[in-house]
Amino acid sequence: MIKKLAMATAAAFVVSSGANAQSQEWEFSGSFYLFMPDTDIDIGDVSTTLSFSDALDKLDFAIMGAFQGNNGTWGFLVDYMRIDLSDSTGAGPLNGDVSIDAKTEAFSGYA
């Protein structure tokens, strides 16, 4: 997925910069950010909340960032977020192991 993100960003730059060779210089900026939500979970009659501190304890991997460029007339913005959470616990009358893996990935692009 990272390779696809890099290729999409490069393709957007090549297409945009080729069309506006006579306009202003391109300016670029990027940033990493932190998204800290509480998550409410409702399944049938069971309800719970996954707080940010609980999610941080179960976090395996996370990256969130944005990259943008503009030349006054044209611009683009790409945003990428990936979060991997996992947990394992004993459950049930036989105390069997239950393992949960949750992976979230989002990519957005605007021109």
Side-chain angles (χ1 to χ4, degrees):
M1 185 64 190
I2 300 298
K3 289 181 183 179
K4 290 180 184 177
L5 173 65
M7 289 176 16
T9 303
F13 174 71
V14 169
V15 170
S16 297
S17 64
N20 292 310
Q22 301 296 326
S23 60
Q24 299 175 350
E25 292 288 320
W26 279 88
E27 296 180 9
F28 301 98
S29 64
S31 62
F32 292 104
Y33 61 90
L34 183 60
F35 182 59
M36 304 183 315
D38 285 346
T39 304
D40 294 324
I41 302 167
D42 295 312
I43 302 174
D45 294 333
V46 178
S47 297
T48 188
T49 299
L50 179 64
S51 68
F52 176 72
S53 61
D54 289 341
L56 195 57
D57 289 339
K58 296 162 182 21
L59 184 67
D60 295 328
F61 176 78
I63 187 168
M64 300 168 198
F67 182 76
Q68 69 175 350
N70 71 66
N71 70 352
T73 304
W74 296 95
F76 68 91
L77 169 73
V78 292
D79 184 76
Y80 180 73
M81 176 174 63
R82 179 174 174 164
I83 304 167
D84 295 347
L85 302 170
S86 66
D87 195 17
S88 175
T89 186
L94 300 176
N95 202 23
D97 287 335
V98 175
S99 179
I100 299 171
D101 292 318
K103 299 181 187 321
T104 303
E105 191 169 33
F107 176 78
S108 302
Y110 308 93

